[in-house]
Amino acid sequence: MSGSEQLFSLKNPWFVGSVAAVAGTALVAALVGFVWMPYAQNDKSIGGLWDAICRAAGAPGPAAAPADVGSGRVHSSDVIVVPQMISEDRISVGRGATLALRCTMCHGARGMSGANTPNLAGQNAESVYKQLRDFQSGHRISEIMAPHVRNLSDQDMRDLAAYYADLPRLAPPPTLVEQLRAPVIVQIGSPMRNIPPCVSCHGGSDRKTASPTLDGEPAQYLHTQLAAFANGTRHNDIHGQMRNVVRQMTPEEIKAVVDYYSRR
């Protein structure tokens, strides 16, 4: 029998020991990477051992239970936002400035408010218009806003949106370098939990049309709205997008988002 045959023989204790050590190391590494690590992240959406292995292997798990979009008397928003749907000419801005005089008590003389109401200065016109329409239709519930929007015409709401979009914001949009310093949940999200990055909808160094700009919004207002999406009391997000995202987020991630945008 040759030396090589003796080396790779099951009768060779060194060969058997080496194979066992390598197999044991691989098994421990697999258990740590595919089982222990997913559970250690405290992800309550993991549905068992097989789900944990799939997550670790890169297969996204199921999202949280979809938001109940169609139940009850009030449904999701029916406003479809498209680019340049609001004319921001000077006549429209001027009419909006007159209409906005009734809004100053809560939203400030120049669209900059306090802790409980959103800043509207420099906000996307399409976003302001959508929220006004939703308040009027009842898709977004507010005992304060409802009487103020009840008698507004569609043109009134467009003029108000044009006016607030025309006002300057206190802080310019973040540069690409500044955006890269944002929290992970803001710039990357959590793909394994089906959470897109905040900037994909709300913009960062670029401008998005369909969703509001969040830079500089009061921390208390942001936290209140995220909580409302999470518990379903706010439901004017089309197809439940925000509700499904926020329900996946941890309290620490929500705090990171609020702190980042409120300090911008």
Side-chain angles (χ1 to χ4, degrees):
M1 183 178 292
S2 66
S4 62
E5 290 177 336
Q6 292 176 354
L7 177 63
F8 297 106
S9 171
L10 293 178
K11 296 180 180 180
N12 185 340
W14 292 103
F15 171 73
V16 174
S18 298
V19 171
V22 171
T25 301
L27 178 61
V28 171
L31 290 173
V32 170
F34 288 92
V35 179
W36 181 77
M37 285 296 290
Y39 281 104
Q41 294 177 4
N42 196 28
D43 188 351
K44 296 180 180 179
S45 65
I46 292 179
L49 178 61
W50 180 249
D51 191 23
I53 294 174
C54 290
R55 298 286 187 93
D68 190 4
V69 176
S71 65
R73 183 178 59 84
V74 179
H75 305 290
S76 269
S77 173
D78 58 357
V79 181
I80 306 300
V81 178
V82 296
Q84 299 177 340
M85 65 185 294
I86 306 297
S87 173
E88 298 181 31
D89 60 79
R90 304 318 299 172
I91 296 176
S92 184
V93 170
R95 287 197 301 256
T98 302
L99 291 166
L101 292 175
R102 71 180 74 173
C103 310
T104 56
M105 182 177 295
C106 294
H107 295 287
R110 298 288 292 172
M112 301 302 293
S113 65
N116 298 313
T117 52
N119 296 324
L120 299 180
Q123 185 57 264
N124 298 337
E126 296 83 5
S127 177
V128 175
Y129 171 72
K130 177 187 182 300
Q131 299 308 313
L132 290 172
R133 280 274 305 272
D134 286 348
F135 281 127
Q136 189 179 69
S137 66
H139 289 122
R140 182 175 178 184
I141 306 300
S142 171
E143 299 298 329
I144 297 175
M145 284 298 300
H148 289 287
V149 300
R150 183 176 297 125
N151 297 320
L152 292 178
S153 68
D154 188 74
Q155 187 59 53
D156 289 340
M157 290 185 278
R158 290 175 180 272
D159 293 341
L160 279 166
Y163 166 69
Y164 281 116
D166 189 66
L167 293 176
R169 295 188 70 84
L170 292 182
T175 64
L176 183 57
V177 173
E178 290 174 326
Q179 185 176 312
L180 292 176
R181 300 194 188 106
V184 172
I185 195 68
V186 171
Q187 61 173 317
I188 299 176
S190 181
M192 298 297 291
R193 289 179 292 143
N194 302 301
I195 301 177
C198 301
V199 296
S200 65
C201 291
H202 295 281
S205 55
D206 57 343
R207 177 183 181 276
K208 303 291 185 178
T209 296
S211 303
T213 298
L214 301 181
D215 293 344
E217 294 295 347
Q220 184 173 335
Y221 173 76
L222 289 174
H223 191 275
T224 299
Q225 297 309 305
L226 288 173
F229 278 125
N231 63 33
T233 55
R234 179 172 173 182
H235 40 62
N236 70 318
D237 51 332
I238 298 177
H239 301 306
Q241 292 174 332
M242 277 300 301
R243 283 169 282 173
N244 290 330
V245 168
V246 180
R247 287 170 181 171
Q248 296 272 50
M249 295 171 64
T250 65
E252 293 75 21
E253 289 169 337
I254 290 175
K255 184 179 185 301
V257 169
V258 169
D259 289 346
Y260 172 74
Y261 281 112
S262 64
R263 293 173 182 174
R264 276 283 309 138

